[in-house]
Amino acid sequence: MDVLEDDFTWVVRKALKGCGLAPSEASIRAGLPEPEVLAFTRGNFSPETARRLAPVLGLNPDALANHNRHAPKPLEISQIRRLDLPFDEERVNAWRIDSGKSFILFDSGHVAGSCLSALAGSLPDQVFITHGHSDHIGGIGDFFRVGAPVLGPSIPGAAPVLAGDVFHHDHLTIAAYDLSGHFTPSVGYHIRGLARPILVTGDALFAGSMGGCATPALYQHALHRLSAVLATLPDDTILLPGHGPATTLGEERRGNPFLI
């Protein structure tokens, strides 16, 4: 089983920052002793504490209370391959999606050469970038060098991508959606043409969590964009995040505390 990018402590810390609350303030609003809230943020999991804190932080109480059991099912579509790449002491994803005789790539990893090496000599027809953080664009120079077209939102050297743009690759249709907030501009890519619809989310949404936001205003914007984009998609949509395992929208609607 793949490990989630964020455990419950990261979920709560991101929500506290997004709400502009210190643990002491959250404890007062939740009617909990401050030491209990601090212990929770440091790894002492309690379903009861989770249920009391969740409404204060605008989180889904059931999802937070069961976060330690959230485990998305393994991805079962052979045309999708996760490239698990180095990012300092952590890991970052790039995603290869095959369309028959060729493939397209989403994000390029953090370390120059790592993504190209993981492709073992195969070259994508196109490279789509979700956003400009270094762990997602560190490898684009390799693809510029070999002549693979690179597209992304405000990415130096790449062809521009704006929300609402639609691209075609063989039998696949790729639509760009605005998923800004964690990083601005940021796009998700909605892909049709395989057995199930796909949304490449970048860092806007992880299995069981979401990307952190620098300010409460950006946090609210990120939640708004997620709500707007996900509202029209079916539960069987496969979500391919920038970190951590693939998941489905149905699993996240049930198990992601940020989706309420």
Side-chain angles (χ1 to χ4, degrees):
M1 181 180 70
D2 284 321
V3 177
L4 298 183
E5 172 66 11
D6 288 346
D7 67 9
F8 71 94
T9 65
W10 280 103
V11 170
V12 171
R13 288 178 210 166
K14 288 178 178 180
L16 283 167
K17 183 175 182 179
C19 293
L21 290 175
S24 58
E25 296 172 281
S27 67
I28 293 170
R29 296 188 186 189
L32 291 167
E34 185 177 351
E36 184 176 328
V37 172
L38 288 172
F40 189 85
T41 65
R42 294 166 183 166
N44 185 17
F45 183 77
S46 163
E48 294 76 17
T49 302
R51 289 188 185 278
R52 296 276 292 275
L53 268 179
V56 171
L57 300 177
L59 300 176
N60 182 310
D62 287 340
L64 186 60
N66 291 284
H67 192 270
N68 60 335
R69 293 185 286 180
H70 185 48
K73 295 177 182 177
L75 188 62
E76 295 180 348
I77 293 185
S78 61
Q79 295 100 321
I80 302 173
R81 178 185 164 199
R82 176 187 179 187
L83 306 183
D84 182 20
L85 304 172
F87 169 37
D88 298 333
E89 300 301 316
E90 305 175 46
R91 309 296 293 180
V92 65
N93 296 333
W95 294 96
R96 169 178 171 157
I97 298 183
D98 292 309
S99 61
K101 296 181 180 179
S102 61
F103 69 94
I104 52 179
L105 185 71
F106 293 86
D107 287 339
S108 67
H110 178 65
V111 179
S114 64
C115 191
L116 205 58
S117 176
L119 293 172
S122 299
L123 294 178
D125 278 13
Q126 293 173 301
V127 180
F128 292 90
I129 301 295
T130 59
H131 65 291
H133 275 151
S134 63
D135 50 328
H136 298 267
I137 63 171
I140 60 173
D142 297 321
F143 295 103
F144 290 147
R145 177 173 53 81
V146 299
V150 179
L151 306 89
S154 297
I155 306 298
V161 173
L162 299 173
D165 287 348
V166 177
F167 307 91
H168 299 278
H169 176 74
D170 293 341
H171 61 281
L172 302 180
T173 300
I174 305 114
Y177 291 170
D178 179 10
L179 285 178
S180 299
H182 167 75
F183 186 94
T184 302
S186 179
V187 297
Y189 295 99
H190 184 243
I191 304 161
R192 291 175 294 157
L194 297 181
R196 291 163 62 182
I198 298 164
L199 181 66
V200 182
T201 62
D203 285 354
L205 189 69
F206 307 141
S209 190
M210 64 180 287
C213 298
T215 67
L218 287 171
Y219 176 72
Q220 291 302 322
H221 180 70
L223 291 174
H224 172 73
R225 291 310 313 151
L226 280 171
S227 178
V229 169
L230 300 180
T232 61
L233 303 181
D235 278 357
D236 69 342
T237 303
I238 293 171
L239 305 179
L240 304 181
H243 303 269
T247 184
T248 64
L249 184 50
E251 289 175 298
E252 295 311 300
R253 282 174 170 148
R254 293 185 293 272
N256 191 315
F258 292 101
L259 302 186
I260 58 174

